[in-house]
Amino acid sequence: ETGVTQTPRHLVMGMTNKKSLKCEQHLGHNAMYWYKQSAKKPLELMFVYSLEERVENNSVPSRFSPECPNSSHLFLHLHTLQPEDSALYLCASSLYRADTQYFGPGTRLTVL
Amino acid sequence: GQQVMQIPQYQHVQEGEDFTTYCNSSTTLSNIQWYKQRPGGHPVFLIQLVKSGEVKKQKRLTFQFGEAKKNSSLHITATQTTDVGTYFCAAYSGNTPLVFGKGTRLSVIA
């Protein structure tokens, strides 16, 4: 499946680094999502963008900063992360907010 | 906020045995969706149920939506090793984003 792509697929970073995760969808969808998946919380919704406007922010620490420049692209900017932020970060998109979500392959993040 | 409870958390079965996972909500749901995530993979949409009492089948998989639209189940008949993975239900209610259950991780012993 190539509808939703994510880069990089793997990322190792130190706590003082700044990095960005990128998501791109080629499905013509209007909503995009960031999820965090870890052993403790299998699918934790972080942010929702609908028509490029952030409509949901689930009490995510400010060290995670999303950006949605257009309906096809979504970024997650990372800075001064903690080791407990190590997880699989999944991007998803849907036509509208209530619709089926299509997930990207995820970025496996390790914070040292 | 809305919560969707999914049980069991883990299930180990012998190949050929049946498997069922259940999803429950305290509120009436507009629809319920089921996803499967293979080990090392990402969640993939399986099906959506919308109508009260709806039953849908995909080969050996049977999906049900309760009459009160507060619960749902996924039943797999005669499991195979290809069924291994985590099954998530996800529900939409009103104007909230899709809410995922915690998933049921299925292991199949050959």
Side-chain angles (χ1 to χ4, degrees):
Chain A
E1 298 178 19
T2 57
V4 181
T5 57
Q6 288 186 244
T7 55
R9 296 293 308 277
H10 300 272
L11 178 62
V12 179
M13 58 187 290
M15 290 191 286
T16 58
N17 291 159
K18 289 185 180 180
K19 296 287 184 183
S20 295
L21 309 184
K22 179 182 177 182
C23 176
E24 185 173 358
Q25 57 98 358
H26 312 274
L27 301 169
H29 288 169
N30 297 302
M32 296 187 77
Y33 312 79
W34 278 117
Y35 287 89
K36 176 183 177 182
Q37 188 173 46
S38 62
K40 292 184 178 180
K41 294 186 179 181
L43 268 176
E44 187 180 0
L45 179 64
M46 300 176 73
F47 301 104
V48 179
Y49 276 82
S50 178
L51 298 171
E52 302 159 39
E53 180 182 345
R54 190 191 309 179
V55 295
E56 197 81 18
N57 177 347
N58 277 3
S59 303
V60 179
S62 59
R63 57 185 183 269
F64 295 91
S65 175
E67 179 190 0
C68 187
N70 55 62
S71 60
S72 300
H73 294 86
L74 185 65
F75 294 89
L76 188 63
H77 304 298
L78 317 171
H79 63 97
T80 59
L81 294 193
Q82 305 298 312
E84 59 264 29
D85 297 321
S86 298
L88 180 68
Y89 288 85
L90 290 160
C91 172
S93 72
S94 63
L95 185 59
Y96 299 107
R97 287 178 63 193
D99 286 329
T100 302
Q101 292 191 11
Y102 293 82
F103 285 82
T107 296
R108 175 67 62 184
L109 174 67
T110 302
V111 182
L112 301 176
Chain B
Q2 180 190 316
Q3 286 192 329
V4 173
M5 307 303 294
Q6 193 173 351
I7 56 170
Q9 190 175 357
Y10 302 96
Q11 185 79 61
H12 307 278
V13 299
Q14 290 280 344
E15 189 173 23
E17 291 182 340
D18 292 356
F19 158 77
T20 304
T21 173
Y22 301 90
C23 197
N24 296 288
S25 171
S26 58
T27 60
T28 302
L29 305 171
S30 300
N31 67 45
I32 195 154
Q33 302 174 13
W34 286 92
Y35 294 76
K36 176 184 178 180
Q37 184 174 16
R38 295 180 184 274
H42 57 276
V44 175
F45 173 76
L46 293 177
I47 209 160
Q48 175 172 282
L49 305 171
V50 179
K51 298 177 182 177
S52 168
E54 189 170 12
V55 178
K56 288 188 177 181
K57 291 189 176 184
Q58 289 179 350
K59 297 182 181 179
R60 294 176 295 103
L61 277 62
T62 302
F63 304 84
Q64 292 188 332
F65 201 8
E67 293 288 343
K69 299 183 73 173
K70 290 184 177 182
N71 57 72
S72 180
S73 64
L74 158 59
H75 179 82
I76 302 179
T77 304
T79 55
Q80 301 176 358
T81 54
T82 53
D83 296 324
V84 164
T86 301
Y87 293 84
F88 293 95
C89 62
Y92 173 71
S93 177
N95 199 28
T96 60
L98 203 60
V99 176
F100 281 82
K102 293 190 174 183
T104 296
R105 184 179 298 178
L106 173 64
S107 300
V108 179
I109 305 166

